[in-house]
Amino acid sequence: ANEISPEALAKVNEIEKKAKKIGLMELTERTCKWPVGDPATEDFWFCGLPVQQGKPYCEAHVGVAFQPMSARRDRRR
């Protein structure tokens, strides 16, 4: 399990309030494909915010998905 920094989590909580909450059929290469919720329920959606270039996710979700080890250690200090 990836350990997520409090800053990254706070950013994600903020972004999920602003998220477009789009469905699978609305995804394009320009929409964040971060899934939120339980796929078995009605309350399931994808973030849908503009992606960071070359990544499948928006800036906040990239921050959670691709946290380098070294950056994580530095944050503890």
Side-chain angles (χ1 to χ4, degrees):
N2 272 358
E3 192 184 327
I4 298 164
S5 72
E7 301 90 53
L9 270 181
K11 205 168 175 186
V12 164
N13 288 335
E14 274 308 295
I15 220 82
E16 286 176 1
K17 289 177 200 154
K18 300 188 193 100
K20 303 250 195 271
K21 303 196 177 187
I22 63 174
L24 186 62
M25 305 310 289
E26 299 166 90
L27 289 176
T28 73
E29 70 258 20
R30 288 195 289 277
T31 56
C32 177
K33 294 160 187 67
W34 191 268
V36 180
D38 179 350
T41 68
E42 287 285 293
D43 194 32
F44 177 71
W45 42 273
F46 295 90
C47 174
L49 291 172
V51 291
Q52 205 173 14
Q53 198 167 9
K55 300 280 198 319
Y57 308 127
C58 67
E59 190 199 345
H61 284 125
V62 165
V64 183
F66 304 102
Q67 282 206 325
M69 291 301 300
S70 58
R72 253 188 253 160
R73 270 201 298 278
D74 293 345
R75 276 201 199 99
R76 287 222 181 94
R77 278 190 225 126

